[in-house]
Amino acid sequence: MTPTLLMALILLLPLATTVGVVAFGRRPNLRETITVASGIGLFLLVAMLGLSPDWMDAPRLLLAEPIEGLPIAFSAEPLGLMFALVASFLWPVTSLYAIGYMRAHHEQNQTRFYAAFAVSISAAMGIALADNMFTLFVFYEVLTVSTYPLVTHAGTDAAKRAGRVYLGLLMGTSIVFLLLAMLWTWSLIGTLDFTPGGVFGDESGLVLGTLLVLFVIGTGKAAIMPFHRWLPAAMVAPTPVSALLHAVAVVKAGVFTILKVAVYLFGIDTIADLAAADWLAALAALTILLGSLVAMTKDNLKARLAYSTISQLSYIILGAMLGVAAGVVGGGMHVVMHAFGKITLFFCAGAIMVAAHKTRVSELDGLGRTMPLTMLAFLIGALSIVGLPPFGGTWSKWWLVQGTLDTGLWMLTAVLLISSLLNIAYLVSIPVRGFFVAPAAPATGVKEAPLPSLIAIGITSAGCLALFLWADPLYRLVGEVLQ
Amino acid sequence: MSFLEHLPVLIVIVPLMAAPICVLLDRPRLAWLVALIAAFSSLFCAIALLSQVLDGSVISYELGGWAAPWGIEYRIDLLGAFVLLIVSAMAAAVLDFAKASVEHEIPTDRIARFYAAFLLALAGLLGIVATGDAFNVFVFLEISSLASYALISMGRDRRALNAAFQYLVMGTIGATFILIGIGFLYMMTGTLNMQDLAERLPAVADTNTVRAGFAFLTVGIGLKLAMFPLHLWLPNAYAYAPSIVSAFLAATATKVALYVMLRFMLGIFGVDFSLHEMPFAWILMVLGVLGILSGSLVAIYQDNVKRMLAYSSVAQIGYMVLGIAIATTAGVTAAVLHMFNHALMKGALFLALGAVVYRLGSVRLNDLSGLGWHMPWTMAAVVVGGLSLIGVPPTVGFISKWYLVIAVLEHGWWPLALVVLIGSVLALIYVWRVLEVAYLRPRPASAPPVSEAPLSMLIPVWLLVIANIYFGIATHLSVGSAERAAALLMGTAPMGGAQ
């Protein structure tokens, strides 16, 4: 199969899954088999795309051209392939997890849940393979709209309020800032195509700096402060949604957008010259620290994880704003590493909620005795996020620290190291207390989560380890961006 | 003369003649059929005309064989043909939908007369666009206005009478102002033919009479256009009119008024006089911005969804006015393009609400609770229409916003770009209020059961919904026509010296 055909299939398969899910909505087993099977199929397709010999030079897939010079078109490049690989690998895993979780939790409207999930994945694939900023924007908005029913799944007043914050911030920033940045770019240079080395010419630093700020804060999905509130709000969604979408697909779509803008619209050399990039790096550093500090104050486990995500996303923004190769490599790898670590943590949080009916960190003392596997996985995920060997997070943090050293901004180096310490304090402490502190009251009748969920947890925590041992292909893939 | 040569007049004559036939037949179904056939004939004429002028040529037709300036000239250029297409296509779509809706909302003994009035309104709107004679514009304006007053007053709600009366008073003032304006021009030039007017006006442009005529025309057209702050008649008229009338008027009447504004200000007075000599552009810009912001803000606080859409129309008219105010070809392109696109969105949304009225009898926000699950297709149409209103790609709304903001940025007027984008965010708020109620609030147990609207309603609604997406992706027709029409308007303007 040619790469172009593969790209078409990658975009269509999740949509076809939606149709299948809706058609067999009344037969849960078949419906969920379809979801998992097409998830595996999607990953294989993305892998085939990456393995086909001339995938980077393949002709782009042109869907339509609403405005002259501004087509909806797709092409594959290393960053996008990496994002697509992560999202498509974790989709079937999350679906497997969801089977256990949704049934054990007796959630309503599960067909709608799986259908919206598949549409969201399709949108994520569109973002990953977007050939220009316009296409990316189209699917960015599709992703916002298609995840909205997932966030408000419970239908309660709290869910409705969260939905308003979610939609208001994500769509509001994207319309007012991101779209403005795109329009301005278009009116300046007449193209939004992603081009290696950037598209800008000799525009003044002030204009470019303003544009960069608009692009970064307009990408609300990257949750840079002060536009982060939607992410904690989105935690009212069922845990599989928080796991895949609000630790992987949606938020990674955000930072992926920023990486693409930095590398393919501005070019890292331009970024290196822009004072605005330094300010944005400082804002990202602030978000890293504040996110970690707020996370420490949160007793609700999912809220703590959400603020941890906000903090970790800014690592990637920071990497993109450094304007050095190591920063981009570190940021790109962190997309993958954080995805595996954080999804493991969310899986565990959901497993604890389903099996032990606990949502607060303060209730988890001694839980390691009744749910040892879950707590072990939590420890692995947490260590990977902190960036300790032998887990994948080590490498991305390594390159990010390297990037800050290359630029000589030692303050940023300090921020990264302090943040790692904070991560230990608020993440690693949870499983430690789970294993070593005696429970307040002896737990009765608590056992491990349902088997499908456990398998999923096992896969992602094994992934954290595997990414430490075999990080080289990933490194080479991201490295190709800078060729 | 062959049949095709008579198209410019046939497009008006057919609905005009069909109206009395409806009254004579006096059978609801037959009247509907006659109206439908008339609308489709007009649509056919409009398509044929558009295909003839797409290359930039102009069709001139002498009514009754009397040459201008003694006779009345009908003159179709690209802009005119484009607007004719919008009006007749929307009439055809609305009439497709109308049968069940009208039987539901209008007493049986009045249905035939309702269709007659509808056809008169259609003929009037088409006539305004087709004619090349300034006085003829006034005549057709009155035909369409009087017919619309009657149509609005047939709404089931008793407040419809009040709304129609309000519209009648304001509309008559507007028409009178237009007549006075045309009178002043006639006084100074001795002609009513638009081409002659355009030729003779430069010589006398520097007189207070012409300036007064310009002012009267601006205010008069502004009233018909519902340009902020002359929009006060519009919300009630749209809210209480019968469903298909709201859909038809929202999609066409203001567009035709905008056409008249473009034709008079840019075509007759000329770009230099209107946009540069008179402070017209600045006034339009301020009014456009105020219209966008106030219309959108007020829309957020409406409980009646039709009223909400009406205020949204005020905001959308603001976008079009802003496009003209930019005073460049790109700006006028954006305005003309939004005419087309807005007709599609508002047509789809008002028709979907018509389906809701048909099943539910109400469009109050609270009554829509849970409707997303009981009328899934209708509400899905509202979702797409709403996204288009917000301007989310790949809908037509996005294309409109894109061209408008690019036109603004060409001047470097970024605060205006922000106003347009903030208008989108406000649209997000008012659209989402509706969707949240429809999808996230359960239908109260005490409410009577509702079922999905009949297929005869869903098909036209979804045709428009699909058009919203289709013309958001394949913009060749809409953008191409708008661009060339704008270039003709700006470039061939008599006082611009380009000719």
Side-chain angles (χ1 to χ4, degrees):
Chain A
M1 277 190 275
T2 66
T4 315
L5 179 63
L6 278 171
M7 283 192 282
L9 289 176
I10 288 169
L11 293 164
L12 283 177
L13 183 63
L15 285 182
T17 312
T18 315
V19 177
V21 164
V22 173
F24 296 106
R26 292 181 194 285
R27 299 170 63 188
N29 290 333
L30 186 56
R31 175 187 69 197
E32 279 142 41
T33 312
I34 291 175
T35 304
V36 175
S38 37
I40 296 170
L42 184 68
F43 175 70
L44 291 178
L45 285 174
V46 177
M48 276 166 74
L49 176 65
L51 292 175
S52 46
D54 53 348
W55 61 278
M56 274 171 78
D57 308 315
R60 64 181 188 173
L61 172 65
L62 183 70
L63 205 65
E65 193 161 351
I67 295 167
E68 213 182 324
L70 213 55
I72 298 183
F74 305 94
S75 64
E77 52 78 46
L79 275 178
L81 184 76
M82 184 194 71
F83 178 46
L85 277 174
V86 179
S88 63
F89 180 81
L90 292 176
W91 181 34
V93 178
T94 309
S95 301
L96 192 67
Y97 177 83
I99 295 171
Y101 178 90
M102 299 295 278
R103 291 184 181 185
H105 219 235
H106 306 293
E107 293 273 359
Q108 300 294 310
N109 300 319
Q110 292 193 21
T111 301
R112 192 201 334 163
F113 171 86
Y114 286 107
F117 221 114
V119 178
S120 308
I121 293 297
S122 181
M125 293 299 128
I127 292 173
L129 298 178
D131 182 56
N132 53 45
M133 192 60 211
F134 173 65
T135 310
L136 196 153
F137 181 75
V138 171
F139 285 90
Y140 184 96
E141 298 292 31
V142 173
L143 186 58
T144 308
V145 174
S146 61
T147 47
Y148 175 80
L150 294 169
V151 171
T152 55
H153 188 83
T156 57
D157 281 340
K160 260 186 257 178
R161 269 198 305 278
R164 268 179 229 153
V165 175
Y166 187 76
L167 205 69
L169 265 180
L170 287 187
M171 259 200 171
T173 52
S174 74
I175 291 174
V176 177
F177 302 121
L178 188 58
L179 184 56
L180 182 63
M182 286 165 54
L183 284 157
W184 194 357
T185 308
W186 174 262
S187 74
L188 276 179
I189 54 173
T191 181
L192 287 173
D193 286 347
F194 289 130
T195 314
V199 289
F200 288 102
D202 50 358
E203 282 76 17
S204 77
L206 185 66
V207 170
L208 286 183
T210 317
L211 272 174
L212 186 65
V213 171
L214 284 176
F215 270 116
V216 172
I217 63 173
T219 312
K221 290 195 170 110
I224 195 166
M225 285 184 181
F227 298 105
H228 64 284
R229 286 296 302 273
W230 63 270
L231 186 55
M235 291 300 137
V236 299
T239 307
V241 176
S242 308
L244 183 60
L245 298 175
H246 301 120
V248 183
V250 173
V251 290
K252 294 296 151 44
V255 286
F256 172 73
T257 306
I258 291 180
L259 277 174
K260 286 278 264 196
V261 166
V263 176
Y264 293 108
L265 283 186
F266 284 85
I268 55 171
D269 295 334
T270 315
I271 296 273
D273 295 338
L274 285 178
D278 292 342
W279 287 104
L280 285 169
L283 184 62
L286 196 69
T287 307
I288 292 173
L289 286 182
L290 287 179
S292 288
L293 289 173
V294 174
M296 298 186 79
T297 69
K298 294 288 172 188
D299 193 32
N300 182 304
L301 183 53
K302 278 176 79 178
R304 184 176 287 198
L305 293 181
Y307 274 99
S308 158
T309 305
I310 292 171
S311 164
Q312 297 289 321
L313 290 173
S314 275
Y315 278 70
I316 301 164
I317 304 174
L318 181 78
M321 290 302 122
L322 288 177
V324 293
V328 173
V329 170
M333 289 177 80
H334 202 57
V335 169
V336 183
M337 303 306 182
H338 175 251
F340 274 84
K342 193 48 73 59
I343 202 171
T344 308
L345 294 184
F346 269 111
F347 281 172
C348 294
I352 293 168
M353 202 188 295
V354 169
H357 306 291
K358 286 180 174 154
T359 55
R360 297 176 171 282
V361 176
S362 52
E363 299 167 345
L364 302 185
D365 288 351
L367 201 66
R369 299 172 193 188
T370 43
M371 301 179 71
L373 292 175
T374 307
M375 272 298 162
L376 183 66
F378 199 103
L379 182 65
I380 292 174
L383 288 176
S384 183
I385 300 239
V386 174
L388 290 179
F391 301 106
T394 319
W395 297 121
S396 52
K397 293 247 165 131
W398 174 279
W399 285 107
L400 283 169
V401 171
Q402 186 71 48
T404 58
L405 291 175
D406 286 351
T407 53
L409 298 168
W410 59 269
M411 285 285 281
L412 298 180
T413 319
V415 165
L416 292 182
L417 297 177
I418 292 171
S419 172
S420 291
L421 290 178
L422 292 175
N423 288 339
I424 295 180
Y426 69 84
L427 283 182
V428 180
S429 66
I430 296 171
V432 170
R433 290 178 65 89
F435 280 117
F436 296 111
V437 178
T444 47
V446 174
K447 50 183 194 308
E448 288 283 0
L451 185 65
S453 301
L454 270 187
I455 296 175
I457 293 175
I459 295 174
T460 55
S461 35
C464 290
L465 185 62
L467 283 170
F468 176 78
L469 298 175
W470 295 287
D472 191 49
L474 187 63
Y475 172 70
R476 270 186 291 144
L477 183 63
V478 181
E480 290 213 42
V481 176
L482 305 164
Q483 297 299 308
Chain B
M1 282 173 115
S2 82
F3 165 74
L4 275 179
E5 286 172 54
H6 292 290
L7 282 179
V9 71
L10 275 176
I11 192 172
V12 184
I13 292 286
V14 169
L16 198 62
M17 290 293 111
I21 295 177
C22 283
V23 178
L24 290 174
L25 288 171
D26 205 20
R27 297 264 176 79
R29 294 206 167 177
L30 276 177
W32 171 72
L33 204 63
V34 169
L36 191 67
I37 293 170
F40 269 97
S41 324
S42 290
L43 176 60
F44 165 77
C45 295
I47 294 171
L49 285 171
L50 185 63
S51 66
Q52 286 179 45
V53 297
L54 213 51
D55 56 356
S57 60
V58 178
I59 302 171
S60 173
Y61 178 87
E62 291 156 0
L63 200 63
W66 294 86
W70 297 279
I72 293 171
E73 183 195 17
Y74 274 35
R75 208 178 158 79
I76 316 275
D77 60 2
L78 185 52
L79 176 68
F82 191 54
V83 178
L84 287 177
L85 178 73
I86 297 175
V87 174
S88 55
M90 291 311 301
V94 165
L95 281 171
D96 270 334
F97 176 92
K99 192 165 160 289
S101 174
V102 169
E103 279 168 11
H104 179 72
E105 290 182 35
I106 310 284
T108 316
D109 57 329
R110 286 197 212 149
I111 290 183
R113 275 173 281 162
F114 173 85
Y115 283 118
F118 187 94
L119 285 172
L120 284 178
L122 172 63
L125 293 174
L126 292 171
I128 294 172
V129 183
T131 187
D133 183 280
F135 186 73
N136 221 231
V137 167
F138 169 74
V139 171
F140 279 119
L141 194 71
E142 280 298 85
I143 292 178
S144 74
S145 301
L146 291 172
S148 359
Y149 307 144
L151 286 172
I152 292 167
S153 70
M154 286 196 221
R156 281 195 310 179
D157 198 312
R158 285 170 61 85
R159 281 170 287 187
L161 290 174
N162 198 20
F165 185 68
Q166 220 179 352
Y167 184 21
L168 181 132
V169 171
M170 308 256 303
T172 309
I173 294 174
T176 311
F177 272 40
I178 292 174
L179 185 62
I180 295 173
I182 294 173
F184 280 168
L185 298 192
Y186 183 61
M187 206 164 93
M188 295 308 290
T189 59
T191 180
L192 286 169
N193 183 288
M194 290 182 183
Q195 290 295 106
D196 294 343
L197 272 173
E199 259 169 49
R200 294 184 199 175
L201 265 178
V204 291
D206 200 23
T207 58
N208 280 338
T209 317
V210 169
R211 287 194 205 107
F214 183 83
F216 272 111
L217 279 167
T218 309
V219 177
I221 299 169
L223 263 165
K224 299 305 290 184
L225 174 61
M227 178 172 73
F228 181 90
L230 306 171
H231 65 280
L232 293 173
W233 57 270
L234 183 141
N236 282 335
Y238 284 13
Y240 301 121
S243 304
I244 74 152
V245 176
S246 307
F248 180 64
L249 291 184
T252 58
T254 48
K255 313 296 171 293
V256 170
L258 193 81
Y259 164 85
V260 176
M261 177 168 273
L262 285 170
R263 182 62 77 202
F264 270 94
M265 301 315 164
L266 303 184
I268 295 179
F269 284 101
V271 178
D272 267 4
F273 182 79
S274 297
L275 297 178
H276 302 142
E277 233 165 277
M278 295 301 243
F280 184 59
W282 289 106
I283 293 173
L284 283 192
M285 188 175 300
V286 173
L287 296 184
V289 167
L290 287 176
I292 293 170
L293 295 178
S294 70
S296 306
L297 277 174
V298 176
I300 293 175
Y301 294 99
Q302 297 306 313
D303 265 339
N304 178 323
V305 181
K306 273 172 87 176
R307 234 178 123 82
M308 180 202 89
L309 287 184
Y311 275 107
S312 149
S313 279
V314 174
Q316 307 291 325
I317 291 161
Y319 291 120
M320 296 176 223
V321 168
L322 184 63
I324 303 177
I326 298 167
T328 57
T329 309
V332 176
T333 303
V336 175
L337 181 64
H338 198 49
M339 263 158 99
F340 179 82
N341 291 344
H342 181 237
L344 291 180
M345 341 172 177
K346 276 288 154 60
L349 283 167
F350 271 114
L351 282 190
L353 286 184
V356 171
V357 171
Y358 183 69
R359 283 298 189 216
L360 211 60
S362 159
V363 283
R364 299 199 69 79
L365 198 56
N366 284 330
D367 297 337
L368 299 186
S369 303
L371 212 59
W373 310 112
H374 292 90
M375 300 179 72
W377 287 99
T378 308
M379 289 316 286
V382 176
V383 173
V384 181
L387 290 176
S388 192
L389 208 53
I390 299 166
V392 177
T395 58
V396 288
F398 177 76
I399 304 292
S400 291
K401 297 261 159 80
W402 180 275
Y403 276 92
L404 184 58
V405 177
I406 289 292
V408 167
L409 286 178
E410 267 181 14
H411 282 281
W413 292 336
W414 58 267
L416 283 181
L418 269 180
V419 167
V420 174
L421 297 175
I422 287 170
S424 290
V425 175
L426 294 175
L428 173 70
I429 297 174
Y430 60 71
V431 168
W432 223 264
R433 273 181 79 228
V434 177
L435 299 185
E436 205 182 89
V437 169
Y439 283 95
L440 291 180
R441 208 185 281 174
R443 195 158 166 73
S446 59
V450 285
S451 53
E452 183 53 272
L455 211 56
S456 69
M457 290 185 161
L458 284 180
I459 290 173
V461 169
W462 272 89
L463 276 178
L464 285 176
V465 167
I466 290 166
N468 264 291
I469 296 172
Y470 177 79
F471 288 108
I473 294 171
T475 56
H476 183 71
L477 173 75
S478 54
V479 174
S481 304
E483 260 174 355
R484 265 171 292 172
L488 284 178
L489 262 182
M490 299 298 285
T492 55
M495 282 188 241
Q499 210 170 23

